[in-house]
Amino acid sequence: MSRGEEYRLSLLTMAVFMASGLIFLLIGMLAVAEVAQEGVWQTIKFIGVTLIFPTPFIAYPIYLWRKRKAGKTFYWDEEGIVIDLQGNKIYWDEIEDIRFSQLYGHWFTRSTVIYPHYTHHEKIRERRKKWMPTPAHSIDWILIENPKDYHKNVMQAWKEKQKLDKDKWELGETEK
């Protein structure tokens, strides 16, 4: 099995988040003139809220853009599947199941979820340097440029890997 196609971070997601943040900021700044008539303290509080609320909407796309420029992608190879932008992998022999997940029918909650076998949770936790083990690793579709293609291909690679492992196991059984 060779390295699968690399799936880059979505420019559309970055643009939507940035536009939302800038619109919130613009609306807040336009409303400052209205609040300024109520007094200095009210104006200071309003400006604080106006600057704090849109900050995540502006900072997150900047973070994603930097990761995209650094070449961070989602992919899989002979070893396993990359599950985050730090390059952490879940190895093929640790995976118990891979599924599609969608919460409450909303399009923006779609994801490919990788479930490692429970015997590997602690090993994965140590490798990722986390405080607590994670029973499932979600790759959110909103982050990827071609999410349906990614899911279809990762499922195909997973089935190939399972078939190869099953064939190896059967060969090992027949040799004994």
Side-chain angles (χ1 to χ4, degrees), residues 162-176:
Q162 282 182 315
K163 186 176 184 293
L164 288 173
D165 288 347
K166 183 180 176 186
D167 291 345
K168 285 181 187 177
W169 185 78
E170 287 174 354
L171 287 174
E173 287 293 313
T174 57
E175 291 175 3
K176 289 182 180 178

Side-chain angles (χ1 to χ4, degrees), residues 14-169:
M14 291 179 226
V16 168
F17 272 92
M18 183 63 79
S20 300
L22 293 174
I23 288 170
F24 287 138
L25 187 63
L26 179 65
I27 289 171
M29 289 303 176
L30 292 174
V32 167
E34 194 69 33
V35 175
Q37 298 171 358
E38 295 181 21
V40 174
W41 182 242
Q42 291 292 345
T43 305
I44 292 171
K45 287 194 305 187
F46 188 78
I47 288 172
V49 170
T50 300
L51 294 176
I52 291 171
F53 182 71
T55 300
F57 290 96
I58 295 170
Y60 190 57
I62 292 170
Y63 166 78
L64 291 176
W65 178 255
R66 285 184 171 175
K67 290 293 186 179
R68 183 180 167 110
K69 293 292 276 183
K72 301 294 182 181
T73 59
F74 290 96
Y75 65 92
W76 60 91
D77 59 14
E78 302 263 342
E79 293 178 336
I81 302 173
V82 172
I83 58 167
D84 60 18
L85 296 175
Q86 284 75 36
N88 292 313
K89 281 186 182 177
I90 300 296
Y91 298 117
W92 291 114
D93 62 336
E94 297 172 339
I95 298 173
E96 182 175 18
D97 196 12
I98 301 174
R99 293 187 207 147
F100 168 77
S101 175
Q102 183 175 2
L103 298 175
Y104 312 115
H106 299 298
W107 64 268
F108 54 86
T109 63
R110 294 177 184 168
S111 61
T112 298
V113 184
I114 300 166
Y115 296 93
H117 194 270
Y118 73 94
T119 58
H120 299 288
H121 287 187
E122 188 64 22
K123 185 177 9 172
I124 295 168
R125 181 196 68 80
E126 289 173 2
R127 190 170 58 235
R128 294 186 66 205
K129 297 177 180 82
K130 296 287 184 178
W131 286 82
M132 296 289 290
T134 306
H137 304 276
S138 176
I139 300 170
D140 298 324
W141 282 20
I142 196 168
L143 293 176
I144 303 174
E145 280 188 341
N146 297 317
K148 288 180 183 178
D149 186 46
Y150 173 82
H151 183 77
K152 182 184 78 164
N153 289 335
V154 81
M155 290 300 291
Q156 183 178 358
W158 167 240
K159 287 177 183 170
E160 281 179 26
K161 187 66 176 165
Q162 282 182 315
K163 186 176 184 293
L164 288 173
D165 288 347
K166 183 180 176 186
D167 291 345
K168 285 181 187 177
W169 185 78

